[in-house]
Amino acid sequence: MELMEISENDFFRQATIRICGSLEIDQTMFRCFQYLKDFIPLDEIQLFLFNEDFSGMRSVATADVSGGKETGRMIPLPDNFREQLIERSKAFTKVKIFNQLGLEPLALKIFSTLGRYIPDSSAMLLPLIPGGIRIGTVVTTAPGKNRYSDDHGRLLTLLHDPFALAMSSALRHEEVRKLKDMLADDNQYLTQELRNLTDETIVGAEGGLKNVMDLVQQVALRDNPVLLL
């Protein structure tokens, strides 16, 4: 695949618009895929989040020609694998190109763990390290050997900051959604408790209001409004 002619500024601007244009990470990844495939070989793009101790990683989202989707798949990593990954990550601060995955033991382990064992394919890995803190990795893959060049790697490198921002925003958005769900559950619980408390503390329910409460019980299950005289 020949590299299309485009200035780095235009490429960065157009890609950033797509990467940072939505809080929904599946839409972000698909829009990015649609744009990038015109400039680099690409059959899939994936976003991964590593645990702080590299004990596992989470597949956050992926996109291909069929669309984008959030995956949320947790993948535990064996101890010996984790040690290699920690050691390699110290030097792995720029785009890494694998033009034949079958010849790269560490990359092969990663893709085999993901169920993506394709030895005759090529891949690029972009570590996301905003402020010196590694938060994730962007992975592009393409079928066939020697599909990626230094020019492709340079273009992907330009997108480090937009991808890091999208990853951070996706994680914050995920936390907000979790908090909303928790608040909804708490509200439902408290509402039910309030109803129970109200039912139990009506003054006079067993005295002068007994006839009224009997009438209330008769119409309590109806949806239509009633007037008690």
Side-chain angles (χ1 to χ4, degrees):
M1 177 179 180
E2 296 184 1
L3 189 64
M4 291 182 60
E5 290 293 332
I6 188 173
S7 72
E8 291 187 355
N9 286 338
D10 287 341
F11 175 82
F12 175 81
R13 184 173 64 254
Q14 293 298 325
T16 298
I17 290 173
R18 290 159 176 81
I19 294 172
C20 300
S22 173
L23 286 176
E24 302 299 334
I25 193 63
D26 55 339
Q27 296 180 21
T28 291
M29 294 296 286
F30 185 53
R31 290 171 182 170
C32 181
F33 172 86
Q34 290 178 305
Y35 182 71
L36 292 185
K37 66 182 178 60
D38 291 332
F39 300 95
I40 65 175
L42 191 62
D43 71 336
E44 186 175 17
I45 183 169
Q46 302 176 75
L47 188 60
F48 295 100
L49 175 67
F50 283 95
N51 293 351
E52 291 184 3
D53 60 355
F54 287 92
S55 61
M57 61 184 182
R58 176 158 64 102
S59 174
V60 178
T62 183
D64 55 23
V65 292
S66 64
K69 63 179 180 180
E70 293 187 57
T71 46
R73 179 186 172 195
M74 288 299 302
I75 305 166
L77 300 177
D79 290 341
N80 59 337
F81 185 16
R82 183 164 66 246
E83 293 171 1
Q84 295 180 56
L85 194 58
I86 292 174
E87 189 62 30
R88 288 285 293 272
S89 68
K90 296 176 182 178
F92 180 23
T93 58
K94 298 180 180 179
V95 166
K96 179 67 175 177
I97 295 176
F98 300 100
N99 267 324
Q100 189 174 346
L101 289 178
L103 300 180
E104 299 286 348
L106 186 58
L108 189 58
K109 286 185 178 181
I110 293 175
F111 283 91
S112 296
T113 302
L114 296 172
R116 303 285 297 173
Y117 174 56
I118 309 176
D120 290 335
S121 63
S122 303
M124 289 195 296
L125 277 68
L126 172 66
L128 303 180
I129 316 175
I133 301 174
R134 186 182 185 118
I135 63 172
T137 301
V138 176
V139 178
T140 68
T141 54
K145 303 176 183 177
N146 302 314
R147 298 296 306 280
Y148 291 120
S149 66
D150 290 340
D151 287 334
H152 296 134
R154 188 184 71 255
L155 286 181
L156 188 60
T157 300
L158 293 174
L159 304 182
H160 173 276
D161 290 352
F163 270 121
L165 178 60
M167 170 72 92
S168 299
S169 297
L171 295 176
R172 287 196 296 268
H173 187 49
E174 182 180 66
E175 289 299 316
V176 169
R177 285 189 297 183
K178 288 180 179 178
L179 287 173
K180 286 180 65 177
D181 290 341
M182 290 173 59
L183 287 173
D185 291 341
D186 289 345
N187 183 62
Q188 185 177 9
Y189 171 77
L190 291 174
T191 299
Q192 185 60 48
E193 287 295 301
L194 182 60
R195 287 174 179 169
N196 294 338
L197 181 61
T198 302
D199 289 343
E200 295 172 359
T201 58
I202 296 178
V203 177
E206 298 300 326
L209 291 179
K210 189 174 187 313
N211 290 338
V212 174
M213 295 307 297
D214 289 340
L215 294 174
V216 169
Q217 292 295 328
Q218 293 178 38
V219 299
L221 298 180
R222 297 178 180 273
D223 291 330
N224 50 308
V226 298
L227 175 63
L228 299 178
L229 300 177

